[in-house]
């Protein structure tokens, strides 16, 4: 066996041009597959992370019927003690009660329909790092009666910090909602749609605006480890139950019904359209990867055919000297595997630092590409993911392709006619 290994190693480097061609075929195959998968997966992960952190959360709690008909009369009530118990559940990072409604914003003679989001400023800062997006003015305090607006909306209405914005909408149980709100700050939000039509205010201010004290459109929950999502969902369901009475209220009033049916939803449901888009993108990327693997496979096969034809006389001589065809075939297969492993390791050595660099320092897109990404709700950055499967999948597939291509030289060796190759 030692002689065989020595022979294999000498054969690999005896014709360096042939070896370099084989190594290059495997190296570039793994390199381009890892780079392509890394950037496509990284862009998807970045978009999903932004959505979960800033908008949807991993888990949402709503009143029964709200998800099908998002009107104020389907808003929910939840007492502070229950919200506090939610925050104590293991693996929950942030519990953010929200009140989301729509209103007509007017400044002078200009008006526009906007989304009004009532939040806890402290919890929202922890959840989405909202204060870092302020480009002018200041952030809200928990008792503030002012608002934060998107930069695009401020430009459209021609207003700035210190000005007052009028909001007119619908309140709870058909009541009218109207108010004047001072502008505390202007935000640069991550998408054009949000920047042009979003207003943040505190929860008490939003609740007073629609005349619904202690009311919420929903509770958004962010978790630390998405792999433990189901266990957190079970704990949340166990806590809120299928039907919860409002603490401190024994009678039905216009604002506090005696009992509420809660519905606990995961992000797989709340972001169903995005998930469908993601599946479509993954299928398209899979087609591209298959085409790339096909091109790479034929490239490797061409290299193996060239190597086999160049070594026909060598194979005949080895057989003539007494080496069995099975042994010669095994040596040839091992040679190809060793070359492939060297090419794979070289590709991993090169791509690992590249992946980690672009994961920490994403490529910033500009021009039309940045605008297109913003319209799709994505930040104009192109990061690279570093999941293990991004490296292992191409390696496994390329090595399997190499094992398939060595069928050709093995078949040639087993059927080689010595008399015709003298």
């Amino acid at each position: 066996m030692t002689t065989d290994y020595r022979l294999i190693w000498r054969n690999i480097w005896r014709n360096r041009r042939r070896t370099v061609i084989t190594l290059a075929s495997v190296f570039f195959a793994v390199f381009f597959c890892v780079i392509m998968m890394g950037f496509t997966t990284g862009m998807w992960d970045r978009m999903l992370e932004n959505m979960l952190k800033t908008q949807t959360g991993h888990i949402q709690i709503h009143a029964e019927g709200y998800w099908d008909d998002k009107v104020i009369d389907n808003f929910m009530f939840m007492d502070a003690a229950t919200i506090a118990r939610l925050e104590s559940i293991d693996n929950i990072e942030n519990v953010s009660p929200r009140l989301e409604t729509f209103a007509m914003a007017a400044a002078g003679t200009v008006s526009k329909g906007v989304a009004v989001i009532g939040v806890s400023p402290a919890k929202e800062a922890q959840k989405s790092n909202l204060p870092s997006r302020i480009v002018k003015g200041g952030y809200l305090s928990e008792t503030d009666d002012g608002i934060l607006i998107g930069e695009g909306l401020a430009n459209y209405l021609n207003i700035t910090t210190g000005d007052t914005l009028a909001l007119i909408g619908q309140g709870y149980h058909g009541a009218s909602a109207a108010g004047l709100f001072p502008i505390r700050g202007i935000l640069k939000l991550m998408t054009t749609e949000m920047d042009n039509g979003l207003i943040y205010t505190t929860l008490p201010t939003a609740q007073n605006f629609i005349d619904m004290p202690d009311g919420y459109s929903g509770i958004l929950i962010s978790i630390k480890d998405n792999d433990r999502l189901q266990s957190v969902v079970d704990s949340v369901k166990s806590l809120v139950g299928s039907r919860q009475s409002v603490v401190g209220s024994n009678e039905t009033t216009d604002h506090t019904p005696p009992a509420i049916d809660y519905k606990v939803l995961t992000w797989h449901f709340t972001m169903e359209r995005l998930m469908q888009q993601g599946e479509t993108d993954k299928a398209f990327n899979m087609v591209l990867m298959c085409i790339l693997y096909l091109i790479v496979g034929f490239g490797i096969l061409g290299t193996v055919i060239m190597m086999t034809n160049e070594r026909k006389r060598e194979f005949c001589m080895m057989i003539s000297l007494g080496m069995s065809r099975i042994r010669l075939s095994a040596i040839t297969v091992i040679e190809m595997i060793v070359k492939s492993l060297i090419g794979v390791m070289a590709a991993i050595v090169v791509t690992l630092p590249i992946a980690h660099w672009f994961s920490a320092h994403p490529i910033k897109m500009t021009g039309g590409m940045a605008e297109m990404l913003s319209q799709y709700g994505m930040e104009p950055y192109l990061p690279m993911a570093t999941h293990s499967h991004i490296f292992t999948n191409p390696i496994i597939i390329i090595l399997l392709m190499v094992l398939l291509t060595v069928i050709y030289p093995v078949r040639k060796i087993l059927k080689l006619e010595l008399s015709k190759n003298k």
Side-chain angles (χ1 to χ4, degrees), residues 72 101-106 112-114 116 166-172 174-179 181 209-211:
I72 292 177
T101 186
F102 293 92
M104 181 66 69
K112 185 176 184 180
V114 296
V116 179
L167 295 179
I168 303 173
Q170 180 183 348
Y172 188 54
S176 297
F181 301 91
F209 174 65
I210 65 170
D211 193 25

Side-chain angles (χ1 to χ4, degrees), residues 243-316:
R243 191 166 181 82
Q244 291 285 319
S245 296
V246 178
V247 175
S249 176
N250 296 320
E251 298 180 358
T252 303
T253 69
D254 289 341
H255 293 93
T256 53
I260 300 173
D261 288 327
Y262 291 122
K263 196 171 183 67
V264 180
L265 307 173
T266 68
W267 65 270
H268 300 91
F269 179 82
T270 59
M271 301 176 66
E272 185 177 6
R273 289 185 179 179
L274 183 63
M275 294 298 293
Q276 291 174 350
Q277 177 186 340
E279 292 301 321
T280 302
D281 291 342
K282 286 180 182 179
F284 179 71
N285 290 332
M286 186 61 67
V287 171
L288 292 181
M289 291 299 296
C290 289
I291 294 174
L292 180 58
Y293 283 132
L294 192 63
I295 295 172
V296 167
F298 278 110
I300 295 175
L301 179 61
T303 303
V304 171
I305 292 174
M306 177 188 68
M307 176 198 72
T308 304
N309 291 332
E310 284 182 352
R311 298 180 64 185
K312 264 187 179 181
R313 294 179 65 84
E314 174 190 335
F315 292 153
C316 290

Side-chain angles (χ1 to χ4, degrees), residues 365-372:
M365 312 300 289
T366 58
M369 180 62 72
E371 184 178 349
M372 182 186 72

Side-chain angles (χ1 to χ4, degrees), residues 17-119:
R17 176 180 62 84
R18 183 172 61 215
T19 299
V20 169
I21 291 174
T22 305
L23 292 178
S25 299
V26 176
F27 172 85
F28 286 110
V30 176
F31 178 83
F32 286 119
C33 290
V34 168
I35 294 297
M36 181 177 176
M37 286 184 64
F39 278 117
T40 54
T41 305
M43 180 178 291
W44 168 255
D45 289 348
R46 183 67 170 262
M47 179 180 65
L48 191 60
E49 181 183 3
N50 288 335
M51 294 287 287
L52 292 176
K53 282 187 174 182
T54 61
Q55 297 184 46
T56 66
H58 295 82
I59 302 169
Q60 294 187 22
I61 305 174
H62 298 286
E64 187 71 40
Y66 172 80
W67 193 256
D68 297 321
D69 189 11
K70 296 182 176 68
V71 296
I72 292 177
D73 290 343
N74 286 335
F75 281 9
M76 59 180 281
F77 294 89
M78 182 175 287
D79 59 278
T82 302
I83 294 176
R85 288 197 293 271
L86 285 171
E87 293 175 334
S88 65
I89 294 177
D90 183 42
N91 197 37
I92 286 185
E93 184 176 37
N94 180 273
V95 177
S96 179
R98 285 195 174 192
L99 193 154
E100 301 181 6
T101 186
F102 293 92
M104 181 66 69
T109 59
V110 184
S111 61
K112 185 176 184 180
V114 296
V116 179
I117 302 180
V119 298

